[in-house]
């Protein structure tokens, strides 16, 4: 069956059992697939898909940008992914610090940051951003005992606690969840099961092409029809219920789970990964005794926080497509190609 026929078949099934539902996804790649392929326009009006905190760059709060800026001001070489450079801190970004002469370098992974440390006499810090998907790589490199002049500022975050916060906050009023395929390749489906058993929320883990998204919507509607909330695994070609056990063990070996704020969120319990004390020589926060005060979270007029919590759309922001655009991003959601505002700027017609 060709893609067009399969799409029509799925849409017919969705329309047959459609019911009012607000489905949240928490993945920038899902939002990209939804917007690029016009999936929202294909669905019946009562089936709503909203974007949550699925962009790992967007959810890094100003405090952690400020921590990196403090290191740059001390003369430390800070390495990070390219998207992080323009994420706003309280007063400036890493890109602005670089323009002022700070040693900020773009790398494509922690291994490249370690290569810099091996060649340089200067201290080198890698800003490790990302969800459960990228945490195993950070952990593995720490276990490999990198050079003494290298350390990590961990900005890794955990998806299930953020979803739990959104459900219990009562703000978003979501009815169902499309879970992120990339994250689930690492942690599996089990960490999400309680959201169905305890809260009665239908869920589906989805892959990243349009048919994956439509199939996950159909699975959720089928659960609602049958009153059988659970977590269906649409992405079973890559995700197992138990996830990647080896990767999980590496994470547990290097990181402790802690609590810290996300951009647009207050402190979320048990939602971040911090390097264990036994590896403190590689923990930039411990090594440099970083202390940041007087943090300013959002640039004036930016509604990135409500967008990340699923309470607003990019088009609701007065700055969107005006003073805030991909060439001149004001808020974090416009910086990364996984950011909801950046994606909407490219594909939205509103």
């Amino acid at each position: 069956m060709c893609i067009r026929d399969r799409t029509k078949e799925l849409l017919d099934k969705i329309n047959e059992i459609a019911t009012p539902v607000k489905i949240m996804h928490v993945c920038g790649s899902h939002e990209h697939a939804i917007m690029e392929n016009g999936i929202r326009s294909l669905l019946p009006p009562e089936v709503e898909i909203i974007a949550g905190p699925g962009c790992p760059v967007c959810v890094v709060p100003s405090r952690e940008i400020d921590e990196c800026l403090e290191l740059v001001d001390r003369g430390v070489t800070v390495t990070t992914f390219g998207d992080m450079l323009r994420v706003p801190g309280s007063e400036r970004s890493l890109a602005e610090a670089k323009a002022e002469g700070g040693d900020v370098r773009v790398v494509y992974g922690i291994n490249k940051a370690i290569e810099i440390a091996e060649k340089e006499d200067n201290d080198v810090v890698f800003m490790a951003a990302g969800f459960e998907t990228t945490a195993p790589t950070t952990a593995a490199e720490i276990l490999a005992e990198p050079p003494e002049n290298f350390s990590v500022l961990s900005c890794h975050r955990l998806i299930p606690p953020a979803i739990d916060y959104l459900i219990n906050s009562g703000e978003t009023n979501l009815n169902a969840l499309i879970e992120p395929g990339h994250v689930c390749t690492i942690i599996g489906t089990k960490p999400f099961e309680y959201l169905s058993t305890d809260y009665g929320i239908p869920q589906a883990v989805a892959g990243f092409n349009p048919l994956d998204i439509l199939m996950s919507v159909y699975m959720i509607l089928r659960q609602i029809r049958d009153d059988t909330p659970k977590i269906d695994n649409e992405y079973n070609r890559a995700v197992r219920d138990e996830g990647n056990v080896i990767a999980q063990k590496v994470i547990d070996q290097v990181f402790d789970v802690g609590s810290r704020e996300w951009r647009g969120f207050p402190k979320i319990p048990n939602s971040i990964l911090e390097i264990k004390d036994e590896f403190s020589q590689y923990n930039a926060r411990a090594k440099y005794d970083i202390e940041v005060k007087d943090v300013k979270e959002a640039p004036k007029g930016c509604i990135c926080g409500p967008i990340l919590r699923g309470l607003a759309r990019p088009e609701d922001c007065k700055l969107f497509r005006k003073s805030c655009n991909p060439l001149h991003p004001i808020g974090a959601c416009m910086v990364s190609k996984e950011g909801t505002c950046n994606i909407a700027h490219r594909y939205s017609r509103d």
Side-chain angles (χ1 to χ4, degrees):
M1 183 181 293
C2 71
I3 292 177
R4 181 175 179 177
D5 290 343
R6 180 59 174 154
T7 301
K8 183 179 184 304
E9 179 186 60
L10 275 173
L11 288 170
D12 287 344
K13 289 182 176 181
I14 287 170
N15 277 282
E16 185 179 333
I17 61 173
T19 190
V21 61
K22 181 182 285 188
I23 304 171
M24 174 178 278
H25 73 77
V26 284
C27 176
S29 297
H30 282 161
E31 182 64 12
H32 187 277
I34 289 166
M35 291 295 291
E36 182 181 30
N37 295 281
I39 288 176
R40 288 188 176 94
S41 67
L42 299 176
L43 295 172
E46 63 267 38
V47 177
E48 182 182 3
I49 301 180
I50 60 173
C55 168
V57 171
C58 306
V59 298
V60 173
S62 293
R63 178 180 301 279
E64 291 169 18
I65 303 298
D66 291 353
E67 287 177 323
C68 288
L69 290 167
E70 181 178 320
L71 292 172
V72 173
D73 291 342
R74 292 195 203 179
V76 175
T77 299
V78 171
T79 61
T80 188
F81 301 118
D83 282 355
M84 293 302 309
L85 259 66
R86 296 194 295 169
V87 175
S90 293
E91 301 294 340
R92 56 183 176 144
S93 66
L94 286 167
E96 290 169 314
K98 181 178 176 66
E100 294 165 359
D103 193 357
V104 180
R105 307 191 196 183
V106 173
V107 294
Y108 293 98
I110 186 173
N111 60 316
K112 296 299 181 182
I114 291 172
E115 288 179 11
I116 292 172
E118 290 170 341
K119 296 174 184 178
E120 300 276 345
D121 292 331
N122 200 36
D123 283 2
V124 176
V125 170
F126 176 66
M127 184 185 188
F131 298 127
E132 293 92 336
T133 319
T134 54
T137 307
T138 305
E141 293 290 356
I142 289 175
L143 289 173
E145 300 182 357
E148 291 182 359
N149 65 330
F150 177 80
S151 58
V152 172
L153 194 141
S154 177
C155 303
H156 288 301
R157 283 173 160 73
L158 305 174
I159 284 291
I163 296 174
D164 189 281
Y165 170 84
L166 287 170
I167 292 169
N168 284 292
S169 72
E171 284 186 312
T172 309
N173 297 320
L174 60 90
N175 308 114
L177 290 160
I178 295 176
E179 301 296 2
H182 289 144
V183 167
C184 290
T185 61
I186 303 298
I187 67 174
T189 62
K190 291 182 179 180
F192 298 99
E193 288 178 352
Y194 82 99
L195 298 174
S196 296
T197 57
D198 293 1
Y199 300 123
I201 294 178
Q203 306 174 76
V205 179
F208 304 99
N209 66 53
L211 291 177
D212 287 326
I213 303 295
L214 290 174
M215 186 64 194
S216 68
V217 170
Y218 174 64
M219 287 175 161
I220 286 168
L221 291 172
R222 190 171 57 189
Q223 292 177 40
I224 295 172
R225 180 197 64 189
D226 298 338
D227 194 21
T228 56
K230 58 183 178 179
I231 181 162
D232 277 323
N233 185 7
E234 187 279 334
Y235 198 35
N236 58 14
R237 60 187 184 273
V239 172
R240 297 178 296 178
D241 290 348
E242 69 275 16
N244 186 327
V245 177
I246 295 174
Q248 293 168 28
K249 287 181 179 178
V250 171
I251 292 173
D252 292 342
Q253 191 173 347
V254 172
F255 292 108
D256 283 325
V257 175
S259 305
R260 199 179 301 141
E261 76 271 26
W262 296 33
R263 187 175 295 270
F265 290 76
K267 182 183 289 187
I268 302 176
N270 305 315
S271 67
I272 61 101
L273 294 176
E274 191 61 273
I275 298 169
K276 288 184 175 181
D277 289 344
E278 63 190 275
F279 302 104
S280 59
Q281 70 269 36
Y282 301 120
N283 184 349
R285 290 189 177 93
K287 186 174 182 178
Y288 300 101
D289 192 24
I290 304 171
E291 185 176 1
V292 172
K293 298 179 180 179
D294 302 323
V295 175
K296 184 174 69 176
E297 184 56 56
K300 187 176 180 179
C302 175
I303 63 167
C304 186
I307 289 170
L308 288 169
R309 299 197 305 276
L311 304 176
R313 302 185 312 152
E315 295 81 3
D316 298 327
C317 182
K318 294 179 180 179
L319 308 181
F320 180 68
R321 281 209 184 99
K322 297 172 184 173
S323 55
C324 186
N325 57 71
L327 292 178
H328 182 259
I330 292 176
C333 295
M334 186 61 83
V335 173
S336 171
K337 288 189 176 181
E338 291 193 2
T340 306
C341 292
N342 187 295
I343 295 168
H345 189 278
R346 283 179 281 145
Y347 297 113
S348 172
R349 296 179 180 178
D350 291 355

